[in-house]
Amino acid sequence: MTMLMLSLIRAFTALAPLALNLATWLVARSLNMPQPIVHDTGVFVVAQVYAAEMRVGKALCPVRLLRQLRIWFR
């Protein structure tokens, strides 16, 4: 079982960059844009979404919320 999982993980890690490259190429082709621009735009969007999620996560953090509640009820 372990050997099967290891071989599946190795296959996935070998095919993931190829699949990403193919997807980027297909999107670039459908938008009639150069592939590097599509790739860099995707990286920028992922970074912006990650930053927004981190801001929301910090705002909803229970420890921070408890501190604010303590301050409010003093």
Side-chain angles (χ1 to χ4, degrees):
M1 184 70 171
T2 304
M3 293 299 288
L4 176 64
M5 288 299 293
L6 184 60
S7 63
L8 288 175
I9 290 171
R10 285 183 180 167
F12 177 74
T13 56
L15 293 176
L18 296 173
L20 183 63
N21 193 18
L22 177 64
T24 305
W25 180 80
L26 286 171
V27 170
R29 178 106 175 160
S30 68
L31 295 174
N32 198 18
M33 294 175 63
Q35 187 176 357
I37 292 176
V38 172
H39 179 267
D40 292 342
T41 304
V43 170
F44 178 74
V45 168
V46 168
Q48 291 296 318
V49 169
Y50 178 77
E53 287 178 351
M54 292 304 290
R55 283 193 303 266
V56 169
K58 285 182 181 178
L60 297 176
C61 180
V63 173
R64 192 170 183 179
L65 181 63
L66 288 175
R67 282 189 208 142
Q68 287 179 352
L69 287 174
R70 284 185 197 141
I71 291 171
W72 287 344
F73 290 112
R74 282 188 183 179

